[in-house]
Structures are given as structure tokens and as C-alpha cells.
Amino acid sequence: MTPSVDYQYLNIRGKTHLVTKGPHVYGESTKNGWRAWDPTRSKLGSVITQDIDVGLSKNVKVLYLGAANGTTVSHVADVASIVYAVEFSPQPMRDLLNVARSRTNIIPLLKDARRPETYSHVVESNIDLLIQDVATRGQVKIALENKRFLSPTGKLFLVIKARSENVVTHPGIIFKSSIEDLSQEYAILKTKKLTSHHKDHLAIVAEPLP
Ligand SMILES: C[S@@+](CC[C@H](N)C(=O)[O-])C[C@H]1O[C@@H](n2cnc3c(N)ncnc32)[C@H](O)[C@@H]1O
């Protein structure tokens, strides 16, 4: 296993960066093995820099839905003990495979997050942190269906992209109904509307209800 370390803040060439320690991936600034985690390229990174506890800590087991090319996954893997990284599109999966090659704790899964039964034989059932950033229709349904993997003490970090649900409805209306629907099976701990680089996205931190 890759040795797990936490994240921290570090001054690199005169600028303070959120950093994780691990193999270099996407041209990010580095110092002594620490890699800058760019919050403009990562919603999770953006929320962490806003001092919100998303449940990412040393040695957690993570199921990541919407892994894309592995930019955020790589930082999560620098901290977590294992990351099951689900992505259904073959093109970003190629980049994700390259990221996984430089680490021993990323399990890339070319799967559809709407069909958790297709990866339930691989993913453990006591996941500490379920991260979801799929930007597709039915985002809450996916979070509800993947709750089966979460430990009772685990956490969900969910990003809702309003425009993926409906391009004409006001994002505020989408966010309100998403929170209502999610509350059937999760206790909402924190919500945060993202701005600038991640416009019209809502981040939600929640824990599974029994
Ligand atoms: C906004 S991008 C994720 C960015 C990534 N989380 C990051 O920070 O680096 C959304 C990704 O979710 C993937 N996706 C969308 N629907 C999916 C599904 N049903 N199952 C798995 N992946 C899906 C898309 O192919 C895309 O790569």
C-alpha cells in the first residue's frame, strides 16, 4: 500500500497551497514531494480550502463516483488507504489508469454508478467516505443507491450540478428538491454553494441514516 499521509497547507514559491503528498500527476506545483491541490480544478479541493470537514482523513476507505481523469482522485489517494474509482466513460478512464499506475491504492472501475450491483463484488461494504461528482441526471438517486457501501459511521460528499438535472430550472429549486430527496436516507451535515470555477454546483456533506 502507498503510505498514507494527511493533507496540509504549504508555501510553494510564495503562494500558500493545499497540498497532499504523492506522485506528481498533472503539472501541479510541488515541493519536497508535496503536490499543490488546485481548488479551481477540484470541487472537493475547493470545499476543503473553505474549512469544511468532508470526512477525508488519513487511511479512510473511499468510493469515488465520477472519477474522470483522476485529478481529484489522485489527491484523495494520497490521503486514503484505498480508493475505488468509478468512471463510465472510456476516454477519461485511460488517464485514470495512468494515475493508478503510479499508485498502489486506486482501483479503477469502468462502471456505471447507476448500477452499483455491477461493482458490489469488488467494492467493500464498509466505505468511510463516498464521494460523488457525476454531473449527470439523477444525481440524488445515485447517492441513494450507493449508500449500501457506506459504513454506518461513514460520510457522503456529494456534488449536485444543477444544469445536469435541468438546464432551465433555477439552480436554487434543484438544490432544494435534491436536499429534500437526499434527506430520506441521509442526515445533511453541511451544504455549500460553489462559485466562480464551479458555478451552479452545490456541495453536500451528509451521513447515512440507519
Ligand atoms: C465533473 S466530472 C468529474 C470530475 C472529477 N470528480 C474531478 O474532480 O477530477 C464527471 C464525471 O462523471 C462521469 N459520469 C457521469 N455519469 C456517470 C455514471 N453514471 N457512472 C460513472 N461515471 C459517470 C463523467 O464521465 C465524468 O467523467
Side-chain angles (χ1 to χ4, degrees):
M1 284 285 161
T2 304
S4 299
V5 289
D6 234 319
Y7 52 85
Q8 58 160 316
Y9 290 89
L10 191 67
N11 189 298
I12 306 178
R13 291 191 283 282
K15 199 177 163 210
T16 301
H17 294 272
L18 173 67
V19 294
T20 60
K21 198 165 205 167
H24 177 261
V25 170
Y26 55 95
E28 67 277 32
S29 307
T30 56
K31 186 179 181 179
N32 300 333
W34 291 93
R35 318 161 46 224
W37 186 349
D38 183 354
T40 67
R41 295 180 61 164
S42 167
K43 285 148 235 158
L44 183 67
S46 163
V47 169
I48 290 174
T49 56
Q50 295 178 65
D51 271 344
I52 294 170
D53 178 10
V54 298
L56 179 63
S57 60
K58 210 168 167 173
N59 293 329
V60 288
K61 285 181 263 185
V62 177
L63 171 57
Y64 195 121
L65 308 175
N69 55 9
T71 304
T72 302
V73 165
S74 68
H75 288 289
V76 172
D78 289 346
V79 178
S81 62
I82 191 158
V83 183
Y84 297 95
V86 176
E87 171 57 54
F88 78 167
S89 177
Q91 204 165 337
M93 177 53 82
R94 275 186 222 122
D95 293 334
L96 178 64
L97 288 173
N98 280 329
V99 174
R101 260 183 219 118
S102 63
R103 288 165 168 80
T104 55
N105 62 343
I106 297 176
I107 315 288
L109 296 164
L110 183 64
K111 297 285 181 190
D112 185 338
R114 291 169 296 194
R115 300 191 55 214
E117 70 280 5
T118 62
Y119 46 86
S120 58
H121 61 293
V122 180
V123 178
E124 298 168 64
S125 58
N126 56 348
I127 290 294
D128 302 300
L129 178 60
L130 170 59
I131 299 174
Q132 182 185 314
D133 178 19
V134 289
T136 190
R137 209 175 181 144
Q139 293 161 102
V140 168
K141 191 163 183 253
I142 290 175
L144 295 176
E145 288 180 351
N146 282 272
K147 180 181 168 234
R148 68 180 73 181
F149 299 106
L150 258 186
S151 141
T153 56
K155 268 190 187 166
L156 166 73
F157 175 80
L158 167 64
V159 176
I160 299 284
K161 183 176 181 183
R163 302 291 177 203
S164 294
E165 294 297 336
N166 189 319
V167 282
V168 291
T169 306
H170 188 278
I173 295 172
I174 304 272
F175 295 156
K176 187 168 179 285
S177 70
S178 299
I179 290 169
E180 275 169 18
D181 293 347
L182 192 70
S183 300
Q184 294 165 23
E185 291 192 38
Y186 286 94
I188 312 294
L189 301 176
K190 181 87 187 166
T191 62
K192 182 77 191 169
K193 277 188 199 150
L194 304 183
T195 49
S196 54
H197 292 92
H198 312 297
K199 196 170 169 277
D200 295 336
H201 288 76
L202 179 74
I204 302 174
V205 181
E207 56 191 14
L209 290 170

